[in-house]
Amino acid sequence: MSDDAHTTTADQLVFQSPVDRYPAIEPPEQHQPEPGLDAEMTPMADLGEHSYRGTGRLEGRKALVTGGDSGIGAAVVIAYAREGADVAFTYLPAEEEDAQKVARIVTESGRRCVPIAGDLVDPAFGPEAVERAVAELGGLDILVNNAGKQIAVESLTDLTDQQVEETFQVNILAMFRTTRAALPHLAAGSTIINTTSVVAYQPPPVLLDYAATKAAINNFSKGLAEQLAPQGIRVNTVAPGPIWTPLQPSDGQPTEALPEFGQSTALGRAGQPTELAPAYVFLASPESSYVVGATIHVNGGMPTP
Ligand code: NAD
Ligand code: MG
């Protein structure tokens, strides 16, 4: 990744224009089988391995990130490690190559890493991942529900029950189960961060099932935030806009839409995964102590409610 033109070695705190921090990529039309690999993307995405410098904001914390092998989840895992946290993350067995790379970056950052393979369509997996993370990290105080499934389908007529059910299983039902399993382990001061999307407010016609889960995540997160705040556990969400991750070239977008991906934002370019990481760090850190039930929009300037 270091030799790729679309990554940066500049520290994330360098003063620069957000318009030019990354080039406006025009990804060639490409396709990968689901779930897609970070290692196979053209151009490669920036996970922050060469640029994210920690400032000790999560020293000694223990985090579990679902879908931490690639994309936004991988950028969060790397940032959390650089901020001083030990990190467990889940991934699908088909993503072993990406998972090993992220685990190596965490270990090289001097933190403990626990990669956990499994499929969130299986109702048992989320809770199992929590128990493994707790056992191997010696506790848990940050949960990031980030895994997501996104398959574009042009017409409702062609949208199968199986796809709708799997999308709901991975994106929202697993979030209920994983969070429920984590609760007994979370002391006051712990944080839960759920990944939603700008499509919760602007549902694209080709993402009916996916966008519905993202709206549900917003609603679930705000209600849970109210429920848990009195116990000192904060729940918040991050709503990304168009981010260049393996989700997109593995049927997340119609293939012909990829070259323009992200160009309709105010910044005129797609976001890179590492540009999401500081929002997740802020929401996990005690410095956001009065931020509860909030959504941080990281979308290059797409208007939101
Ligand atoms: P990504 O493909 O890199 O990450 C998604 C991860 O979800 C995969 O790595 C995989 O490990 C996991 N996953 C998928 N199906 C799974 C299953 N059945 N069981 C277990 N894990 C599974 O893509 P990303 O864009 O970084 O996605 C991360 C989150 O960001 C998702 O919730 C996605 O909806 C959200 N999001 C992405 C964008 C974007 O433009 N990329 C925009 C808004 C929201
Ligand atoms: Mg992946």
Side-chain angles (χ1 to χ4, degrees):
M1 200 170 93
S2 55
D3 54 355
D4 189 272
H6 300 291
T7 65
T8 176
T9 50
D11 187 298
Q12 88 272 22
L13 302 178
V14 166
F15 182 76
Q16 61 190 324
S17 166
V19 174
D20 309 323
R21 182 176 175 192
Y22 294 96
I25 56 169
E26 292 180 22
E29 289 190 20
Q30 56 196 287
H31 183 258
Q32 294 192 45
E34 205 206 343
L37 284 180
D38 178 65
E40 301 289 329
M41 289 178 71
T42 309
M44 293 196 79
D46 191 351
L47 305 178
E49 67 182 286
H50 302 293
S51 59
Y52 193 96
R53 171 165 65 89
T55 52
R57 294 158 84 195
L58 301 176
E59 208 64 56
R61 306 286 299 275
K62 303 170 198 309
L64 171 62
V65 179
T66 65
D69 54 283
S70 60
I72 296 164
V76 172
V77 169
I78 291 167
Y80 280 7
R82 298 273 166 85
E83 295 287 357
D86 292 331
V87 194
F89 70 85
T90 76
Y91 63 101
L92 285 162
E95 299 174 312
E96 189 64 42
E97 179 183 356
D98 285 352
Q100 283 185 16
K101 176 181 162 182
V102 172
R104 179 175 48 74
I105 296 169
V106 171
T107 310
E108 286 173 0
S109 305
R111 307 310 313 184
R112 190 156 3 141
C113 190
V114 182
I116 306 170
D119 191 332
L120 288 168
V121 172
D122 172 5
F125 177 61
E128 280 168 16
V130 168
E131 296 312 324
R132 259 198 71 190
V134 168
E136 298 195 30
L137 297 179
L140 188 68
D141 43 44
I142 302 167
L143 172 64
V144 179
N145 287 302
N146 167 77
K149 179 183 173 76
Q150 175 185 327
I151 304 285
V153 174
E154 293 289 335
S155 165
L156 177 60
T157 317
D158 300 322
L159 184 57
T160 63
D161 277 354
Q162 185 185 350
Q163 174 172 325
V164 175
E165 284 167 14
E166 286 185 8
T167 304
F168 272 74
Q169 286 289 358
V170 175
N171 295 11
I172 178 72
L173 299 185
M175 199 173 275
F176 276 81
R177 298 186 188 108
T178 307
T179 308
R180 188 169 54 213
L183 281 182
H185 304 287
L186 300 179
S190 299
T191 51
I192 299 168
I193 302 156
N194 297 330
T195 303
T196 175
S197 170
V198 68
V199 305
Y201 317 100
Q202 303 172 18
V206 297
L207 293 177
L208 298 183
D209 54 336
Y210 173 82
T213 66
K214 293 297 172 180
I217 289 167
N218 276 355
N219 197 280
F220 168 68
S221 303
K222 288 182 189 298
L224 188 66
E226 296 296 307
Q227 186 180 113
L228 297 182
Q231 301 171 39
I233 299 171
R234 294 183 298 111
V235 183
N236 291 287
T237 65
V238 177
I243 313 302
W244 183 233
T245 72
L247 198 72
Q248 306 302 348
S250 57
D251 289 321
Q253 299 289 329
T255 308
E256 64 278 8
L258 289 177
E260 288 98 51
F261 183 67
Q263 291 182 4
S264 63
T265 61
L267 289 182
R269 63 173 178 84
Q272 293 291 334
T274 193
E275 296 185 280
L276 275 290
Y280 290 81
V281 169
F282 171 68
L283 292 174
S285 144
E287 69 202 314
S288 60
S289 54
Y290 208 59
V291 181
V292 176
T295 301
I296 298 189
H297 300 283
V298 185
N299 65 25
M302 298 173 79
T304 52

